[in-house]
Amino acid sequence: MEPKVKLWIEKAGLLVLSDYRAQLLQHVADTGSLAQAAERMGLSYRRAWGKIKEAERNLGVRLVQSEVGGVGGGRTRLTPTGERLLAQYRRFRTAVEVDVGREFGDAFGEER
Amino acid sequence: MEPKVKLWIEKAGLLVLSDYRAQLLQHVADTGSLAQAAERMGLSYRRAWGKIKEAERNLGVRLVQSEVGGVGGGRTRLTPTGERLLAQYRRFRTAVEVDVGREFGDAFGEER
């Protein structure tokens, strides 16, 4: 048997961060491009943008910022707040995964 | 912000226990009746039975046993294995909820 966990964070009952959205933000951070981030997620640009805008609206903060123009066109990157929330979410997620494995072993140890 | 967690347990990639199924088993234990347990879950008898049979099949153990006849008709109760797994799942679930709250505070403490 193995434990499975799905995590997310709500604010006022609305989704603000989840594994899926954290992954999308991570791709933005890694690529500097919402188009590339969307492609890595198998999402349309419009849909990826909508997910980020929804999270921003529900949180009340900006998570990404776009720079227009320059050589090669604009870039999108995380705001300082976006970077901090992503780092916090990843820390939270990793810690909970460790906890879940330990608690599962404690509760079901004799089953394995 | 508040953390949300969904937990379940798989065996060989198949669902064996979840909060929902644990709740159904708890109602069987509490009422001694699959019909009443199904009603408390808002499920048809057939659907509740199917969920338990599926969990038993995926686990390879019996979780409930029915006694036919007697005054007032048959009863359904958990097998000793079913009781043990339910108790283990509840312990696991409770422990993880405590962990998730703590990890969330540790990771996002300054947000609250």
Side-chain angles (χ1 to χ4, degrees):
Chain A
M1 296 200 294
E2 63 173 333
K4 297 283 181 175
V5 58
K6 185 179 174 188
L7 282 179
W8 69 101
I9 293 173
E10 294 184 358
K11 185 175 178 181
L14 299 172
L15 175 67
V16 293
L17 271 175
S18 62
D19 293 345
Y20 192 83
R21 276 156 213 249
Q23 187 67 58
L24 175 59
L25 291 174
Q26 186 65 55
H27 286 316
V28 172
D30 292 345
T31 63
S33 159
L34 184 58
Q36 285 183 49
E39 189 179 338
R40 288 188 179 189
M41 298 294 287
L43 291 173
S44 69
Y45 182 91
R46 176 187 292 270
R47 197 152 159 71
W49 188 242
K51 285 180 182 295
I52 289 174
K53 287 289 128 185
E54 183 190 31
E56 289 184 334
R57 198 164 54 239
N58 293 344
L59 271 168
V61 299
R62 294 292 305 272
L63 296 171
V64 302
Q65 57 196 15
S66 294
E67 296 159 6
V68 179
V71 177
R75 280 171 51 88
T76 300
R77 56 183 182 181
L78 302 191
T79 62
T81 300
E83 284 183 2
R84 181 167 48 79
L85 283 169
L86 177 59
Q88 288 172 319
Y89 186 83
R90 291 170 65 93
R91 177 181 165 194
F92 169 59
R93 166 83 214 187
T94 300
V96 168
E97 275 188 43
V98 171
D99 293 337
V100 165
R102 186 187 64 246
E103 303 296 4
F104 184 74
D106 286 354
F108 290 89
E110 65 273 35
E111 297 297 308
R112 296 197 288 186
Chain B
M1 297 199 297
E2 62 172 332
K4 297 283 181 176
V5 58
K6 184 178 173 191
L7 282 179
W8 69 101
I9 294 173
E10 294 184 358
K11 185 175 178 181
L14 299 172
L15 176 65
V16 294
L17 271 175
S18 62
D19 292 347
Y20 192 83
R21 276 156 212 249
Q23 188 66 58
L24 175 59
L25 291 174
Q26 187 65 55
H27 286 317
V28 172
D30 292 345
T31 63
S33 160
L34 184 59
Q36 285 182 51
E39 189 180 338
R40 288 188 179 189
M41 298 294 287
L43 291 173
S44 68
Y45 181 91
R46 177 186 291 269
R47 198 152 160 71
W49 187 243
K51 285 181 182 297
I52 288 173
K53 288 289 127 184
E54 183 191 30
E56 289 184 334
R57 200 165 50 241
N58 293 345
L59 271 168
V61 300
R62 295 292 305 273
L63 296 171
V64 302
Q65 56 195 17
S66 295
E67 296 159 8
V68 179
V71 176
R75 281 170 48 87
T76 300
R77 58 183 181 179
L78 302 190
T79 61
T81 300
E83 285 183 1
R84 181 168 48 80
L85 284 169
L86 177 59
Q88 288 172 318
Y89 186 84
R90 292 169 65 93
R91 178 182 163 192
F92 170 60
R93 166 83 214 186
T94 301
V96 169
E97 275 189 41
V98 171
D99 293 337
V100 165
R102 185 187 64 246
E103 302 296 3
F104 184 75
D106 285 354
F108 290 89
E110 64 273 35
E111 298 297 307
R112 295 198 289 185

